[in-house]
Amino acid sequence: MAAEPPSSVAPATAAHTKRTPKRKPKKKSAGPSVLNPNWAQLQSKLPASTFLGKRKRRPAPSPPPQPSPDPDAAEVSAKLEPASDDTSLTKALALDCEMVGVGAGGSKSALARVTLVNSFGNVVYDEYVRPMERIVDYRTHISGIRPKHMNKAKDFSVVQKDVADLITGRVLVGHALHHDLKVLLLGHPKKDIRDTSEYEVFRREGKRRSLKDLAAQELSVKIQQQEHCPIEDARAAMFIYKKHKKGWEKNRKDQFRFKNKLKKRGNKKSAEGNEKDPNVPTVLL
């Protein structure tokens, strides 16, 4: 039997031979770098500790230090608080009023709120008042008075009597009290008035200062930042008075004695002049 001729078709395994992956060429190791002669000469002249190479990155600048809070500023921002819970009627009361505008163009002031605080800074009286004339300007940006407050307001005559009864026989403290007493249509003995706008010690170059300025200096508090609060204003005036009460009362006594001395001296001179004057008739008893 004749032998079969060898097949011309290679087996499938032979047709698909595996390809060996190409090897990445190895990086040639860099040989020793040759320095420029000038560079080598410069490096030899430098101290051994000096290293010339890449410039080091500078660290990022630290943020500027924040200023520490000023303790005085913190004190100035503090609020006025009563010295105790005592709400009794003390010998001294502080008064403050808020006004609205009435009359032509609202140029005339009328009482709209009145507040009294005692020596401890506690409120003993605080009422809204219905003016006797029609309100033209509420002056809200200063007074804090709004139309809704008039819904619970009392008649002027009622409030006037209440305040008169409370302040009678007491020392009245306040700032520019002549304005408050004027809108209340009330008077008060001069000897019993302690007005922080009139006290000579508080004046600057002979000029009166605002309650806002005095409160910042004497009490380290800020008041009247926006709308005025009569409770806060009356409390500030009272605390300023109490801080200077000893010197204030001594000053008043000295003034009273000085005036009496001048009065007696004037009466004595007047009597001596009358004795020498022949035109003055002599009274025979």
Side-chain angles (χ1 to χ4, degrees):
M1 189 171 183
E4 292 181 0
S7 174
S8 60
V9 180
T13 56
H16 299 281
T17 58
K18 293 183 180 180
R19 294 181 180 180
T20 57
K22 293 183 179 180
R23 293 182 180 179
K24 294 181 180 180
K26 294 182 178 180
K27 293 182 179 179
K28 294 182 179 181
S29 58
S33 60
V34 180
L35 294 175
N36 187 295
N38 295 334
W39 179 256
Q41 186 180 5
L42 174 63
Q43 194 171 18
S44 65
K45 292 181 180 180
L46 294 174
S49 60
T50 305
F51 174 76
L52 294 177
K54 291 184 179 180
R55 183 178 294 177
K56 294 182 179 179
R57 291 184 180 179
R58 295 181 179 179
S62 58
Q66 296 294 330
S68 58
D70 186 2
D72 294 336
E75 290 179 4
V76 170
S77 62
K79 289 183 66 177
L80 283 175
E81 298 292 344
S84 77
D85 297 331
D86 191 340
T87 58
S88 62
L89 289 174
T90 52
K91 178 63 179 176
L93 295 177
L95 169 70
D96 191 77
C97 298
E98 296 299 334
M99 296 84 155
V100 292
V102 298
S107 58
K108 183 181 175 183
S109 295
L111 182 65
R113 185 180 177 183
V114 56
T115 303
L116 286 166
V117 303
N118 63 9
S119 296
F120 305 103
N122 288 305
V123 177
V124 295
Y125 190 82
D126 184 30
E127 293 291 346
Y128 289 97
V129 186
R130 189 177 297 107
M132 292 182 287
E133 300 181 51
R134 184 177 68 87
I135 299 175
V136 177
D137 184 2
Y138 282 88
R139 304 176 184 175
T140 306
H141 64 289
I142 296 176
S143 68
I145 305 296
R146 291 170 171 79
K148 65 179 181 180
H149 295 140
M150 293 298 105
N151 296 334
K152 56 180 179 180
K154 291 185 176 182
D155 290 338
F156 174 82
S157 58
V158 174
V159 174
Q160 181 192 45
K161 184 179 184 305
D162 291 344
V163 174
D165 292 341
L166 289 170
I167 67 175
T168 299
R170 289 185 167 85
V171 173
L172 189 61
V173 181
H175 190 82
L177 280 169
H178 57 282
H179 293 305
D180 299 321
L181 293 172
K182 182 179 180 180
V183 293
L184 278 163
L185 302 180
L186 291 175
H188 201 71
K190 190 175 180 179
K191 66 180 181 66
D192 291 333
I193 288 179
R194 305 294 183 270
D195 195 326
T196 53
S197 70
E198 298 291 342
Y199 189 35
E200 295 84 354
V201 175
F202 296 150
R203 294 192 181 189
R204 182 177 293 163
E205 297 178 356
K207 296 181 180 179
R208 298 181 181 91
R209 298 165 63 190
S210 66
L211 182 61
K212 181 179 179 179
D213 187 18
L214 289 174
Q217 177 182 315
E218 300 295 333
L219 306 176
S220 298
V221 294
K222 288 184 177 181
I223 64 171
Q224 300 177 354
Q225 295 300 296
Q226 296 178 354
E227 298 173 4
H228 292 196
C229 173
I231 297 175
E232 188 177 57
D233 291 354
R235 193 174 285 162
M238 176 59 77
F239 289 168
I240 291 171
Y241 164 68
K242 287 184 68 177
K243 182 178 179 180
H244 294 269
K245 181 179 178 180
K246 187 175 181 180
W248 200 328
E249 296 301 331
K250 182 180 182 301
N251 182 274
R252 287 188 59 84
K253 289 179 180 178
D254 292 343
Q255 287 184 347
F256 181 74
R257 289 171 185 168
F258 181 71
K259 287 180 180 179
N260 280 347
K261 189 180 290 186
L262 288 179
K263 187 176 180 180
K264 289 178 180 178
R265 189 179 299 173
N267 292 339
K268 186 177 180 180
K269 287 184 178 180
S270 177
E272 290 176 355
N274 291 339
E275 288 178 2
K276 296 178 181 179
D277 190 353
N279 297 322
V280 176
T282 303
V283 178
L284 299 175
L285 298 177

PDB file of all heavy atoms in Angstrom, residues 121-147:
ATOM      1  N   GLY A 121     -32.123 101.329  89.234  1.00  0.00           N
ATOM      2  CA  GLY A 121     -32.304 101.205  87.794  1.00  0.00           C
ATOM      3  C   GLY A 121     -33.530 100.424  87.382  1.00  0.00           C
ATOM      4  O   GLY A 121     -33.710 100.137  86.195  1.00  0.00           O
ATOM      5  N   ASN A 122     -34.373 100.082  88.344  1.00  0.00           N
ATOM      6  CA  ASN A 122     -35.602  99.342  88.025  1.00  0.00           C
ATOM      7  C   ASN A 122     -36.758 100.295  87.702  1.00  0.00           C
ATOM      8  O   ASN A 122     -36.876 101.363  88.303  1.00  0.00           O
ATOM      9  CB  ASN A 122     -35.998  98.438  89.192  1.00  0.00           C
ATOM     10  CG  ASN A 122     -35.065  97.254  89.337  1.00  0.00           C
ATOM     11  OD1 ASN A 122     -34.850  96.491  88.402  1.00  0.00           O
ATOM     12  ND2 ASN A 122     -34.492  97.089  90.522  1.00  0.00           N
ATOM     13  N   VAL A 123     -37.589  99.877  86.785  1.00  0.00           N
ATOM     14  CA  VAL A 123     -38.716 100.707  86.339  1.00  0.00           C
ATOM     15  C   VAL A 123     -39.794 100.736  87.413  1.00  0.00           C
ATOM     16  O   VAL A 123     -40.234  99.694  87.906  1.00  0.00           O
ATOM     17  CB  VAL A 123     -39.293 100.165  85.023  1.00  0.00           C
ATOM     18  CG1 VAL A 123     -40.508 100.982  84.593  1.00  0.00           C
ATOM     19  CG2 VAL A 123     -38.239 100.176  83.927  1.00  0.00           C
ATOM     20  N   VAL A 124     -40.207 101.939  87.776  1.00  0.00           N
ATOM     21  CA  VAL A 124     -41.319 102.098  88.720  1.00  0.00           C
ATOM     22  C   VAL A 124     -42.546 102.699  88.029  1.00  0.00           C
ATOM     23  O   VAL A 124     -43.653 102.657  88.572  1.00  0.00           O
ATOM     24  CB  VAL A 124     -40.911 102.976  89.927  1.00  0.00           C
ATOM     25  CG1 VAL A 124     -39.837 102.282  90.742  1.00  0.00           C
ATOM     26  CG2 VAL A 124     -40.440 104.354  89.485  1.00  0.00           C
ATOM     27  N   TYR A 125     -42.334 103.249  86.822  1.00  0.00           N
ATOM     28  CA  TYR A 125     -43.466 103.790  86.063  1.00  0.00           C
ATOM     29  C   TYR A 125     -43.047 103.874  84.592  1.00  0.00           C
ATOM     30  O   TYR A 125     -41.970 104.381  84.281  1.00  0.00           O
ATOM     31  CB  TYR A 125     -43.844 105.188  86.573  1.00  0.00           C
ATOM     32  CG  TYR A 125     -45.149 105.718  86.023  1.00  0.00           C
ATOM     33  CD1 TYR A 125     -46.367 105.348  86.585  1.00  0.00           C
ATOM     34  CD2 TYR A 125     -45.172 106.600  84.937  1.00  0.00           C
ATOM     35  CE1 TYR A 125     -47.573 105.838  86.081  1.00  0.00           C
ATOM     36  CE2 TYR A 125     -46.363 107.096  84.443  1.00  0.00           C
ATOM     37  CZ  TYR A 125     -47.561 106.707  85.008  1.00  0.00           C
ATOM     38  OH  TYR A 125     -48.758 107.185  84.515  1.00  0.00           O
ATOM     39  N   ASP A 126     -43.902 103.370  83.713  1.00  0.00           N
ATOM     40  CA  ASP A 126     -43.625 103.416  82.271  1.00  0.00           C
ATOM     41  C   ASP A 126     -44.944 103.341  81.522  1.00  0.00           C
ATOM     42  O   ASP A 126     -45.591 102.294  81.503  1.00  0.00           O
ATOM     43  CB  ASP A 126     -42.705 102.258  81.870  1.00  0.00           C
ATOM     44  CG  ASP A 126     -42.307 102.308  80.407  1.00  0.00           C
ATOM     45  OD1 ASP A 126     -42.219 103.417  79.852  1.00  0.00           O
ATOM     46  OD2 ASP A 126     -42.076 101.232  79.806  1.00  0.00           O
ATOM     47  N   GLU A 127     -45.329 104.459  80.931  1.00  0.00           N
ATOM     48  CA  GLU A 127     -46.628 104.525  80.258  1.00  0.00           C
ATOM     49  C   GLU A 127     -46.528 105.293  78.939  1.00  0.00           C
ATOM     50  O   GLU A 127     -45.769 106.263  78.821  1.00  0.00           O
ATOM     51  CB  GLU A 127     -47.672 105.216  81.148  1.00  0.00           C
ATOM     52  CG  GLU A 127     -48.044 104.440  82.402  1.00  0.00           C
ATOM     53  CD  GLU A 127     -48.819 103.170  82.125  1.00  0.00           C
ATOM     54  OE1 GLU A 127     -49.312 103.015  80.982  1.00  0.00           O
ATOM     55  OE2 GLU A 127     -48.948 102.341  83.041  1.00  0.00           O
ATOM     56  N   TYR A 128     -47.320 104.825  77.957  1.00  0.00           N
ATOM     57  CA  TYR A 128     -47.500 105.589  76.720  1.00  0.00           C
ATOM     58  C   TYR A 128     -48.599 106.605  76.957  1.00  0.00           C
ATOM     59  O   TYR A 128     -49.548 106.360  77.716  1.00  0.00           O
ATOM     60  CB  TYR A 128     -47.871 104.663  75.567  1.00  0.00           C
ATOM     61  CG  TYR A 128     -46.719 103.792  75.106  1.00  0.00           C
ATOM     62  CD1 TYR A 128     -46.592 102.477  75.564  1.00  0.00           C
ATOM     63  CD2 TYR A 128     -45.765 104.294  74.224  1.00  0.00           C
ATOM     64  CE1 TYR A 128     -45.535 101.682  75.154  1.00  0.00           C
ATOM     65  CE2 TYR A 128     -44.700 103.499  73.807  1.00  0.00           C
ATOM     66  CZ  TYR A 128     -44.593 102.198  74.272  1.00  0.00           C
ATOM     67  OH  TYR A 128     -43.539 101.418  73.866  1.00  0.00           O
ATOM     68  N   VAL A 129     -48.462 107.733  76.301  1.00  0.00           N
ATOM     69  CA  VAL A 129     -49.370 108.863  76.555  1.00  0.00           C
ATOM     70  C   VAL A 129     -50.030 109.290  75.244  1.00  0.00           C
ATOM     71  O   VAL A 129     -49.357 109.411  74.215  1.00  0.00           O
ATOM     72  CB  VAL A 129     -48.601 110.055  77.160  1.00  0.00           C
ATOM     73  CG1 VAL A 129     -49.573 111.160  77.560  1.00  0.00           C
ATOM     74  CG2 VAL A 129     -47.762 109.604  78.349  1.00  0.00           C
ATOM     75  N   ARG A 130     -51.318 109.540  75.306  1.00  0.00           N
ATOM     76  CA  ARG A 130     -52.055 110.034  74.142  1.00  0.00           C
ATOM     77  C   ARG A 130     -52.057 111.562  74.181  1.00  0.00           C
ATOM     78  O   ARG A 130     -52.666 112.169  75.063  1.00  0.00           O
ATOM     79  CB  ARG A 130     -53.497 109.511  74.164  1.00  0.00           C
ATOM     80  CG  ARG A 130     -54.283 109.803  72.888  1.00  0.00           C
ATOM     81  CD  ARG A 130     -55.668 109.203  72.961  1.00  0.00           C
ATOM     82  NE  ARG A 130     -55.624 107.745  73.051  1.00  0.00           N
ATOM     83  CZ  ARG A 130     -55.892 107.057  74.151  1.00  0.00           C
ATOM     84  NH1 ARG A 130     -56.228 107.703  75.280  1.00  0.00           N
ATOM     85  NH2 ARG A 130     -55.838 105.744  74.168  1.00  0.00           N
ATOM     86  N   PRO A 131     -51.379 112.206  73.245  1.00  0.00           N
ATOM     87  CA  PRO A 131     -51.319 113.673  73.269  1.00  0.00           C
ATOM     88  C   PRO A 131     -52.698 114.303  73.103  1.00  0.00           C
ATOM     89  O   PRO A 131     -53.618 113.694  72.544  1.00  0.00           O
ATOM     90  CB  PRO A 131     -50.408 114.017  72.077  1.00  0.00           C
ATOM     91  CG  PRO A 131     -49.652 112.769  71.792  1.00  0.00           C
ATOM     92  CD  PRO A 131     -50.576 111.646  72.147  1.00  0.00           C
ATOM     93  N   MET A 132     -52.787 115.521  73.583  1.00  0.00           N
ATOM     94  CA  MET A 132     -54.064 116.226  73.479  1.00  0.00           C
ATOM     95  C   MET A 132     -54.303 116.744  72.065  1.00  0.00           C
ATOM     96  O   MET A 132     -55.429 117.039  71.697  1.00  0.00           O
ATOM     97  CB  MET A 132     -54.077 117.387  74.488  1.00  0.00           C
ATOM     98  CG  MET A 132     -54.107 116.917  75.936  1.00  0.00           C
ATOM     99  SD  MET A 132     -54.186 118.279  77.129  1.00  0.00           S
ATOM    100  CE  MET A 132     -52.513 118.919  77.013  1.00  0.00           C
ATOM    101  N   GLU A 133     -53.230 116.836  71.267  1.00  0.00           N
ATOM    102  CA  GLU A 133     -53.362 117.259  69.878  1.00  0.00           C
ATOM    103  C   GLU A 133     -53.065 116.085  68.944  1.00  0.00           C
ATOM    104  O   GLU A 133     -52.457 115.098  69.348  1.00  0.00           O
ATOM    105  CB  GLU A 133     -52.398 118.415  69.575  1.00  0.00           C
ATOM    106  CG  GLU A 133     -52.631 119.653  70.434  1.00  0.00           C
ATOM    107  CD  GLU A 133     -51.662 120.776  70.088  1.00  0.00           C
ATOM    108  OE1 GLU A 133     -51.546 121.118  68.889  1.00  0.00           O
ATOM    109  OE2 GLU A 133     -51.006 121.287  71.014  1.00  0.00           O
ATOM    110  N   ARG A 134     -53.496 116.217  67.684  1.00  0.00           N
ATOM    111  CA  ARG A 134     -53.294 115.159  66.705  1.00  0.00           C
ATOM    112  C   ARG A 134     -51.800 115.022  66.385  1.00  0.00           C
ATOM    113  O   ARG A 134     -51.102 116.015  66.185  1.00  0.00           O
ATOM    114  CB  ARG A 134     -54.074 115.473  65.427  1.00  0.00           C
ATOM    115  CG  ARG A 134     -54.009 114.362  64.374  1.00  0.00           C
ATOM    116  CD  ARG A 134     -54.857 114.722  63.167  1.00  0.00           C
ATOM    117  NE  ARG A 134     -54.282 115.849  62.451  1.00  0.00           N
ATOM    118  CZ  ARG A 134     -53.354 115.729  61.487  1.00  0.00           C
ATOM    119  NH1 ARG A 134     -52.892 114.540  61.161  1.00  0.00           N
ATOM    120  NH2 ARG A 134     -52.893 116.796  60.878  1.00  0.00           N
ATOM    121  N   ILE A 135     -51.342 113.781  66.349  1.00  0.00           N
ATOM    122  CA  ILE A 135     -49.933 113.523  66.053  1.00  0.00           C
ATOM    123  C   ILE A 135     -49.687 113.693  64.554  1.00  0.00           C
ATOM    124  O   ILE A 135     -50.345 113.081  63.726  1.00  0.00           O
ATOM    125  CB  ILE A 135     -49.523 112.105  66.497  1.00  0.00           C
ATOM    126  CG1 ILE A 135     -49.711 111.951  68.008  1.00  0.00           C
ATOM    127  CG2 ILE A 135     -48.073 111.820  66.112  1.00  0.00           C
ATOM    128  CD1 ILE A 135     -49.450 110.538  68.509  1.00  0.00           C
ATOM    129  N   VAL A 136     -48.718 114.526  64.230  1.00  0.00           N
ATOM    130  CA  VAL A 136     -48.340 114.764  62.835  1.00  0.00           C
ATOM    131  C   VAL A 136     -47.082 113.967  62.474  1.00  0.00           C
ATOM    132  O   VAL A 136     -46.967 113.430  61.380  1.00  0.00           O
ATOM    133  CB  VAL A 136     -48.109 116.272  62.586  1.00  0.00           C
ATOM    134  CG1 VAL A 136     -47.647 116.529  61.158  1.00  0.00           C
ATOM    135  CG2 VAL A 136     -49.380 117.065  62.893  1.00  0.00           C
ATOM    136  N   ASP A 137     -46.146 113.895  63.399  1.00  0.00           N
ATOM    137  CA  ASP A 137     -44.883 113.192  63.159  1.00  0.00           C
ATOM    138  C   ASP A 137     -44.563 112.331  64.378  1.00  0.00           C
ATOM    139  O   ASP A 137     -44.383 112.854  65.480  1.00  0.00           O
ATOM    140  CB  ASP A 137     -43.763 114.207  62.906  1.00  0.00           C
ATOM    141  CG  ASP A 137     -42.441 113.547  62.563  1.00  0.00           C
ATOM    142  OD1 ASP A 137     -42.395 112.306  62.478  1.00  0.00           O
ATOM    143  OD2 ASP A 137     -41.447 114.275  62.382  1.00  0.00           O
ATOM    144  N   TYR A 138     -44.493 111.017  64.177  1.00  0.00           N
ATOM    145  CA  TYR A 138     -44.201 110.115  65.291  1.00  0.00           C
ATOM    146  C   TYR A 138     -42.719 110.141  65.687  1.00  0.00           C
ATOM    147  O   TYR A 138     -42.361 109.652  66.755  1.00  0.00           O
ATOM    148  CB  TYR A 138     -44.627 108.690  64.943  1.00  0.00           C
ATOM    149  CG  TYR A 138     -46.113 108.461  65.078  1.00  0.00           C
ATOM    150  CD1 TYR A 138     -46.978 108.722  64.019  1.00  0.00           C
ATOM    151  CD2 TYR A 138     -46.659 107.999  66.274  1.00  0.00           C
ATOM    152  CE1 TYR A 138     -48.352 108.510  64.139  1.00  0.00           C
ATOM    153  CE2 TYR A 138     -48.021 107.779  66.415  1.00  0.00           C
ATOM    154  CZ  TYR A 138     -48.866 108.045  65.335  1.00  0.00           C
ATOM    155  OH  TYR A 138     -50.216 107.846  65.479  1.00  0.00           O
ATOM    156  N   ARG A 139     -41.860 110.648  64.823  1.00  0.00           N
ATOM    157  CA  ARG A 139     -40.418 110.712  65.083  1.00  0.00           C
ATOM    158  C   ARG A 139     -39.870 109.346  65.516  1.00  0.00           C
ATOM    159  O   ARG A 139     -39.051 109.238  66.442  1.00  0.00           O
ATOM    160  CB  ARG A 139     -40.110 111.760  66.164  1.00  0.00           C
ATOM    161  CG  ARG A 139     -40.633 113.161  65.851  1.00  0.00           C
ATOM    162  CD  ARG A 139     -40.368 114.108  67.011  1.00  0.00           C
ATOM    163  NE  ARG A 139     -40.946 115.427  66.773  1.00  0.00           N
ATOM    164  CZ  ARG A 139     -40.952 116.419  67.674  1.00  0.00           C
ATOM    165  NH1 ARG A 139     -40.385 116.227  68.856  1.00  0.00           N
ATOM    166  NH2 ARG A 139     -41.503 117.581  67.403  1.00  0.00           N
ATOM    167  N   THR A 140     -40.331 108.308  64.840  1.00  0.00           N
ATOM    168  CA  THR A 140     -40.020 106.929  65.229  1.00  0.00           C
ATOM    169  C   THR A 140     -38.537 106.653  65.254  1.00  0.00           C
ATOM    170  O   THR A 140     -38.040 105.906  66.118  1.00  0.00           O
ATOM    171  CB  THR A 140     -40.727 105.944  64.286  1.00  0.00           C
ATOM    172  OG1 THR A 140     -42.135 106.245  64.268  1.00  0.00           O
ATOM    173  CG2 THR A 140     -40.535 104.504  64.744  1.00  0.00           C
ATOM    174  N   HIS A 141     -37.775 107.227  64.325  1.00  0.00           N
ATOM    175  CA  HIS A 141     -36.343 106.932  64.249  1.00  0.00           C
ATOM    176  C   HIS A 141     -35.594 107.361  65.507  1.00  0.00           C
ATOM    177  O   HIS A 141     -34.505 106.871  65.795  1.00  0.00           O
ATOM    178  CB  HIS A 141     -35.729 107.613  63.023  1.00  0.00           C
ATOM    179  CG  HIS A 141     -35.765 109.104  63.057  1.00  0.00           C
ATOM    180  ND1 HIS A 141     -36.936 109.827  62.909  1.00  0.00           N
ATOM    181  CD2 HIS A 141     -34.780 110.027  63.244  1.00  0.00           C
ATOM    182  CE1 HIS A 141     -36.657 111.117  62.991  1.00  0.00           C
ATOM    183  NE2 HIS A 141     -35.367 111.266  63.197  1.00  0.00           N
ATOM    184  N   ILE A 142     -36.203 108.274  66.284  1.00  0.00           N
ATOM    185  CA  ILE A 142     -35.597 108.694  67.550  1.00  0.00           C
ATOM    186  C   ILE A 142     -36.436 108.225  68.737  1.00  0.00           C
ATOM    187  O   ILE A 142     -35.925 107.627  69.677  1.00  0.00           O
ATOM    188  CB  ILE A 142     -35.439 110.225  67.605  1.00  0.00           C
ATOM    189  CG1 ILE A 142     -34.459 110.690  66.531  1.00  0.00           C
ATOM    190  CG2 ILE A 142     -34.949 110.670  68.985  1.00  0.00           C
ATOM    191  CD1 ILE A 142     -34.307 112.187  66.440  1.00  0.00           C
ATOM    192  N   SER A 143     -37.740 108.490  68.674  1.00  0.00           N
ATOM    193  CA  SER A 143     -38.613 108.214  69.821  1.00  0.00           C
ATOM    194  C   SER A 143     -38.972 106.743  69.975  1.00  0.00           C
ATOM    195  O   SER A 143     -39.250 106.280  71.080  1.00  0.00           O
ATOM    196  CB  SER A 143     -39.910 109.021  69.687  1.00  0.00           C
ATOM    197  OG  SER A 143     -40.688 108.546  68.595  1.00  0.00           O
ATOM    198  N   GLY A 144     -38.987 106.000  68.859  1.00  0.00           N
ATOM    199  CA  GLY A 144     -39.424 104.612  68.920  1.00  0.00           C
ATOM    200  C   GLY A 144     -40.933 104.481  69.026  1.00  0.00           C
ATOM    201  O   GLY A 144     -41.460 103.364  69.150  1.00  0.00           O
ATOM    202  N   ILE A 145     -41.643 105.594  68.952  1.00  0.00           N
ATOM    203  CA  ILE A 145     -43.106 105.583  69.058  1.00  0.00           C
ATOM    204  C   ILE A 145     -43.712 105.239  67.703  1.00  0.00           C
ATOM    205  O   ILE A 145     -43.301 105.769  66.670  1.00  0.00           O
ATOM    206  CB  ILE A 145     -43.638 106.947  69.545  1.00  0.00           C
ATOM    207  CG1 ILE A 145     -42.965 107.344  70.872  1.00  0.00           C
ATOM    208  CG2 ILE A 145     -45.153 106.907  69.696  1.00  0.00           C
ATOM    209  CD1 ILE A 145     -43.265 106.419  72.024  1.00  0.00           C
ATOM    210  N   ARG A 146     -44.738 104.359  67.725  1.00  0.00           N
ATOM    211  CA  ARG A 146     -45.454 103.952  66.511  1.00  0.00           C
ATOM    212  C   ARG A 146     -46.959 104.079  66.744  1.00  0.00           C
ATOM    213  O   ARG A 146     -47.409 104.109  67.897  1.00  0.00           O
ATOM    214  CB  ARG A 146     -45.084 102.512  66.145  1.00  0.00           C
ATOM    215  CG  ARG A 146     -43.643 102.375  65.667  1.00  0.00           C
ATOM    216  CD  ARG A 146     -43.218 100.922  65.544  1.00  0.00           C
ATOM    217  NE  ARG A 146     -41.921 100.812  64.891  1.00  0.00           N
ATOM    218  CZ  ARG A 146     -40.761 101.020  65.491  1.00  0.00           C
ATOM    219  NH1 ARG A 146     -40.743 101.350  66.782  1.00  0.00           N
ATOM    220  NH2 ARG A 146     -39.626 100.905  64.835  1.00  0.00           N
ATOM    221  N   PRO A 147     -47.740 104.135  65.671  1.00  0.00           N
ATOM    222  CA  PRO A 147     -49.199 104.278  65.847  1.00  0.00           C
ATOM    223  C   PRO A 147     -49.816 103.215  66.748  1.00  0.00           C
ATOM    224  O   PRO A 147     -50.757 103.495  67.495  1.00  0.00           O
ATOM    225  CB  PRO A 147     -49.724 104.179  64.406  1.00  0.00           C
ATOM    226  CG  PRO A 147     -48.597 104.672  63.557  1.00  0.00           C
ATOM    227  CD  PRO A 147     -47.343 104.214  64.250  1.00  0.00           C
TER     228      PRO A 147
END
